[in-house]
């Protein structure tokens, strides 16, 4: 019935199309292969798919007819993997909220070459970040907040050839180890790490290469500042939030002296 209804939209131009249910209790049983074929003849600016329990064989047809949509939002879905991405996709903003990922699907997401904004949030089972984003030269915003991520080597290896990344939100995750290697994301302006247990900051200057950063939030990250050069290199910083952390001895005053402005 839904497939037939969507086929009846052929030829229309719409600003936003929402398919699914608004209440979790009414979540549709499953997403069958070819369900969205009727949308190939619909011109849309934004497409929202909401509340499906399961995807048939992790269907590879999800993006077949929405690859030319500027904004795609996938909300409260039993989606475990990103479907096959069509060539020359025009998706610029993609949101995956409350899906069923266990690993950040960076490799397939890297096929969205026009992507500027990516949000993967509130995925309770998302714990791993083993894949790397590659070649997303237009990407400016990544929001990976409110998951349960635990990974080390943050943050250069995860973002290969993403030179325009300016906003990175890793807040409200589990454990992240910062190595001080931000070479691939040295143009960051905004970095939010609040309420994520961090390893590295406070012991040595892990932010040294983020000379363009203007906003840093490390509140409630269990950071113990032992080094006098914790914030060295943050020459453009305008906002620093660090509530809920501790400073050793007179390290607070010493660190603020190093923030020359």
């Amino acid at each position: 019935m839904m497939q037939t209804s969507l086929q009846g939209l052929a030829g229309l131009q719409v600003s936003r199309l929402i398919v699914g249910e608004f209440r979790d209790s009414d979540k549709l049983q499953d997403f069958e292969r070819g369900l969205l074929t009727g949308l190939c003849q619909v011109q849309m600016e934004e497409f929202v798919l909401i509340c499906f329990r399961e995807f048939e064989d992790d269907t590879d047809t999800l993006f077949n007819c929405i690859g030319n949509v500027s904004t795609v939002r996938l909300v409260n879905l039993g989606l475990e993997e990103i479907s096959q991405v069509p060539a020359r996709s025009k998706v610029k903003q993609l949101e995956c909220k409350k899906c069923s990922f266990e690993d950040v699907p960076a490799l397939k997401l890297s096929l969205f070459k026009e992507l500027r904004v990516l949000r993967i949030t509130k995925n309770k089972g998302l714990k791993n970040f083993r894949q790397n984003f590659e070649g997303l030269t237009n990407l400016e915003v990544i929001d990976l907040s409110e998951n349960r991520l635990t990974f080390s080597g943050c943050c250069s290896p995860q973002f290969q050839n993403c030179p325009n990344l300016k906003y990175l939100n890793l807040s409200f995750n589990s454990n992240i180890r910062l190595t001080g290697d931000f070479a691939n994301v040295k143009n960051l302006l905004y970095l939010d790490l609040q309420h994520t247990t961090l390893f590295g900051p406070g012991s040595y200057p892990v932010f040294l290469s983020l000379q363009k950063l203007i906003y840093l939030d490390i509140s409630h990250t269990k950071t113990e500042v032992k080094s006098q050069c914790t914030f060295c290199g943050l020459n453009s910083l305008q906002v620093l939030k660090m509530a809920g952390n501790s400073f050793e001895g007179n390290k607070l005053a010493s660190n603020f002296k190093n923030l020359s402005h």
Side-chain angles (χ1 to χ4, degrees):
M1 185 181 298
M2 180 178 288
Q3 187 175 25
T4 301
S5 298
L6 293 177
Q7 289 173 346
L9 299 177
L12 294 181
Q13 291 183 329
V14 296
S15 58
R16 175 189 292 174
L17 177 62
I18 302 175
V19 176
E21 295 287 347
F22 286 96
R23 294 182 301 178
D24 187 62
S25 59
D26 295 331
K27 186 180 288 188
L28 297 174
Q29 182 64 35
D30 53 27
F31 182 100
E32 297 178 356
R33 187 178 297 273
L35 178 63
L36 303 181
T37 53
L39 298 182
C40 288
Q41 305 302 321
V42 181
Q43 295 185 39
M44 295 175 285
E45 295 179 15
E46 180 178 351
F47 175 73
V48 183
L49 186 65
I50 184 169
C51 284
F52 279 83
R53 291 182 185 176
E54 297 179 358
F55 279 71
E56 183 183 88
D57 300 324
D58 292 320
T59 178
D60 279 335
T61 66
L62 176 58
F63 290 104
N64 280 8
C65 291
I66 59 174
N68 291 327
V69 181
S70 178
T71 300
V72 175
R73 298 182 62 230
L74 308 175
V75 181
N76 204 356
L77 305 180
L79 185 64
E80 298 178 359
E81 298 180 7
I82 288 293
S83 299
Q84 189 65 38
V85 178
R88 297 182 293 278
S89 167
K90 296 182 180 179
V91 176
K92 292 181 173 60
Q93 298 188 48
L94 176 61
E95 178 181 5
C96 303
K97 181 179 179 180
K98 294 184 178 180
C99 292
S100 299
F101 302 137
E102 295 181 359
D103 200 335
V104 177
L107 290 178
K108 279 194 174 179
L109 290 173
S110 295
L111 299 176
F112 289 100
K113 295 303 181 183
E114 297 295 321
L115 201 61
R116 288 188 167 89
V117 177
L118 173 63
R119 303 185 189 278
I120 304 177
T121 61
K122 298 186 177 181
N123 295 269
K124 293 181 179 180
L126 184 54
K127 301 178 181 179
N128 303 311
F129 199 159
R130 293 178 290 213
Q131 302 176 22
N132 300 328
F133 291 98
E134 298 180 2
L136 292 175
T137 56
N138 295 308
L139 189 64
E140 297 181 0
V141 175
I142 287 190
D143 184 352
L144 297 174
S145 63
E146 298 185 72
N147 300 302
R148 295 182 179 177
L149 289 173
T150 295
F151 66 100
S152 59
C154 183
C155 292
S156 190
Q158 291 81 15
F159 304 101
Q160 303 288 332
N161 193 20
C162 302
N164 291 309
L165 186 62
K166 295 180 173 61
Y167 176 108
L168 178 59
N169 189 346
L170 292 167
S171 64
F172 294 92
N173 278 288
S174 295
N175 303 285
I176 296 177
R177 182 176 296 277
L178 304 180
T179 62
D181 182 5
F182 287 91
N184 289 332
V185 291
K186 60 184 179 182
N187 291 320
L188 274 180
L189 301 178
Y190 182 107
L191 178 59
D192 191 347
L193 297 162
Q194 63 175 301
H195 291 275
T196 297
T197 299
L198 298 180
F199 299 93
S203 300
Y204 55 98
V206 296
F207 305 114
L208 195 60
S209 59
L210 294 178
Q211 299 188 15
K212 296 182 181 180
L213 198 72
I214 61 175
Y215 180 99
L216 175 63
D217 192 342
I218 57 170
S219 303
H220 304 284
T221 55
K222 299 182 180 179
T223 296
E224 183 178 356
V225 177
K226 300 178 180 179
S227 168
Q228 295 183 356
C229 204
T230 297
F231 305 114
C232 286
L234 297 175
N235 300 327
S236 303
L237 199 65
Q238 298 177 15
V239 177
L240 172 61
K241 296 184 178 182
M242 51 184 183
N245 298 313
S246 61
F247 286 81
E248 183 182 278
N250 64 347
K251 297 299 190 300
L252 179 60
S254 300
N255 272 281
F256 279 117
K257 285 182 180 180
N258 289 321
L259 291 172
S260 58
H261 53 290

